[in-house]
Every structure is written in C-alpha cells, then in structure tokens.
Amino acid sequence: MKKFVVLCTIVGLLLAACSRGPYTATNKFYKKQAKSYSKILATYPLNDSGTTFVGTVNFTMRAPNFVIIHHTAQGSCEQTLKTFTTPVSKVSSHYVICKSGEVYQMLNDMLRAHHAGVSRWGTTTDINSCSIGIEIDNNGREPFTEAQINSLLQLLDRLKKKYNIPTTNFLGHADVAPGRKVDPNRYFPWQKLAEHGFGYWYDTTNVEVKEGFDALMALRTIGYNIANPRSAIQSYKIHFNPQDTTTVLTETDAKIITSLLERYK
Ligand SMILES: [Zn+2]
C-alpha cells in the first residue's frame, strides 16, 4: 500500500511538471523581474537625486532605435530558447526566429536584452541599450530558410513603423562588433532586406571612385569601428561583398563603398 502511494505521488508530480510546460518557471521569473522594474518606474516622488521633484506631463518610454540581426550558431531553436532561459548563459535576445518561420518573443521591446555585448556603430557604444536583438536559428554555415526571411521581414516592418527606426540602423552583429562576431553569416540576404527598406544596398552603375579615395576612412564614416582595420574590412565584406573572404580592399570594394557612403552618411 505504502509503495502504491509513493508511486502515485511520483506519477502525480511528473504529470504536474509536464502540464506546467518547460518554461513555466522562467515565465514566472520574467513576470517578477518586469514587476520590479515597473515599481522603479512608478516611484513617486523621485528621491534618489537630492533635488526637488516636480513631475512633468510630457514624457514617454525610451524606444529602441537600432535592430541587430544575429545567427544563433546553435543546433536548434529549442537549444537557443534553453540557452536564453538559463541564467548562467547571461545572454538573450528579444526575438528568435526558427527554421519553420515561427517567431518567439522573449522580452518586451522596451527592455534591454543581452545580445550585442561590446559593440560600436559610429559614436554609439552601448548598443544593447538602444536596440532590438533578433536571433535567427542557423548553425552559422548554412543558408537561412525562406520562411525565416519572410517572418523576419514582417517583424522588421512592424518594428520600423512602431519605433520609427532609421533605414541605416538595421545592422548585423558583425557590423557592430568587428573581429569579435561574424553573424549573420555570408548567406544572409542583406540586399533583399535593403529592397524592403531595412538597411541600404549599393549600386555601382556609373560610380566613379574619386582620386585618393580612402575606403577605410569611408567605412568609418559609414559607422564601422576601424580600430582594427582588418576586422572592420572583414565585417564589411560579410555584409556587402560576401563572396570575397579576404580582408583586402579592392577596386570593386572602393566602388561599393563609394556608393554606400552616399546612402549611409
Ligand atoms: Zn550575434
């Protein structure tokens, strides 16, 4: 009888665990964390600056101004969801797009995800604080699925309209972290994105490269961190000239960069 009771208890616990789903605990954590931030936002009067408080009537939430695209470099969407719900990984992104085109949202757009790490674009340094991170399920060596790109385009369209994100500010992780990151990989269809208004593409028809044109300095004007020139060139090539795996700027690159400069500066 005792054994039967123990068995029933174990089965009961297992059933309860199964019915709660794998993310019940992390969803609960998210809710608690979000609630603690909302308490900070609602604090009245503000008393942490030693000043006199007079509440203004004109304010809104700070909204994201960049979108950073990544590939997960993991084996499956499930694996990525697990990584982003495990505290020790310390990483996350706002959205994860699976090979099927299914999109997971992991936190509010207004909150700061940990996806870009040490990064820079132009004079903007804390990219995590002003961007939306989108991770696309991809092992890093394969093309992206049509379903993924379709879902991505729909998501970008919504984000661009909702937050009025400039066309120039749709970038890859490699763009903002040269030498440290190479995602999204060289199969990523940046030209197609540009055709839909997310980032720019070049047109070298009738482009004349000016005498003494400094392509590396032009990359800096566009936004690349050129502290390490070879790394900056690698990041630029991954995005705009993916067939070329060298880190040398050629005549073709000078034409591409001249064209890009017009659009990005
Ligand atoms: Zn990344």
Side-chain angles (χ1 to χ4, degrees):
M1 186 63 186
K2 215 172 182 183
K3 269 184 186 169
F4 178 72
V5 171
V6 171
L7 186 68
C8 284
T9 309
I10 292 170
V11 170
L13 282 172
L14 282 173
L15 282 173
C18 290
S19 63
R20 283 168 70 227
Y23 298 112
T24 306
T26 65
N27 285 352
K28 205 173 161 187
F29 178 91
Y30 176 89
K31 205 173 166 185
K32 203 176 152 197
Q33 188 86 331
K35 212 171 172 181
S36 75
Y37 289 135
S38 67
K39 256 188 186 167
I40 294 171
L41 291 176
T43 300
Y44 169 84
L46 295 175
N47 54 9
D48 61 349
S49 60
T51 54
T52 307
F53 182 75
V54 176
T56 178
V57 295
N58 308 315
F59 65 100
T60 49
M61 297 275 280
R62 286 179 181 156
N65 199 37
F66 282 85
V67 170
I68 306 298
I69 296 164
H70 306 255
H71 68 224
T72 58
Q74 293 203 307
S76 69
C77 228
E78 289 67 34
Q79 200 186 340
T80 301
L81 294 179
K82 204 173 171 191
T83 303
F84 291 172
T85 50
T86 305
V88 286
S89 76
K90 293 191 169 75
V91 289
S92 59
S93 73
H94 294 84
Y95 299 93
V96 178
I97 304 181
C98 306
K99 288 202 162 68
S100 63
E102 188 175 5
V103 182
Y104 286 93
Q105 180 167 14
M106 302 198 74
L107 73 158
N108 191 299
D109 294 341
M110 296 297 185
L111 293 173
R112 185 177 184 270
H114 300 172
H115 62 96
V118 178
S119 47
R120 185 185 185 108
W121 185 252
T123 53
T124 304
T125 49
D126 186 3
I127 301 279
N128 275 338
S129 284
C130 57
S131 69
I132 295 281
I134 301 175
E135 290 274 359
I136 308 178
D137 178 34
N138 180 289
N139 67 13
R141 303 175 301 276
E142 61 190 347
F144 298 83
T145 70
E146 208 183 317
Q148 280 176 318
I149 301 305
N150 287 340
S151 293
L152 176 67
L153 289 172
Q154 280 179 34
L155 175 59
L156 294 181
D157 197 45
R158 184 172 69 76
L159 295 173
K160 188 178 181 183
K161 282 183 188 142
K162 191 169 178 185
Y163 303 117
N164 201 18
I165 298 171
T167 303
T168 48
N169 291 2
F170 292 80
L171 299 162
H173 200 186
D175 292 315
V176 297
R180 215 171 56 75
K181 295 291 170 184
V182 292
D183 60 314
N185 73 42
R186 291 172 193 262
Y187 289 106
F188 190 75
W190 283 111
Q191 185 175 1
K192 188 170 185 176
L193 258 70
E195 284 162 7
H196 285 80
F198 313 119
Y200 285 114
W201 198 246
Y202 58 85
D203 179 4
T204 52
T205 322
N206 302 325
V207 162
E208 293 217 1
V209 180
K210 281 186 186 149
E211 214 185 307
F213 177 69
D214 188 335
L216 189 62
M217 288 311 285
L219 284 182
R220 191 173 80 161
T221 306
I222 288 167
Y224 285 97
N225 175 5
I226 62 160
N228 182 326
R230 287 169 69 94
S231 298
I233 294 167
Q234 183 192 37
S235 285
Y236 145 77
K237 297 247 192 194
I238 290 170
H239 189 137
F240 294 104
N241 192 3
Q243 292 82 13
D244 183 352
T245 54
T246 71
T247 52
V248 180
L249 290 172
T250 63
E251 281 298 309
T252 306
D253 292 313
K255 279 191 175 179
I256 293 172
I257 295 168
T258 297
S259 169
L260 288 173
L261 195 58
E262 287 301 311
R263 292 159 168 78
Y264 274 88
K265 75 180 178 187

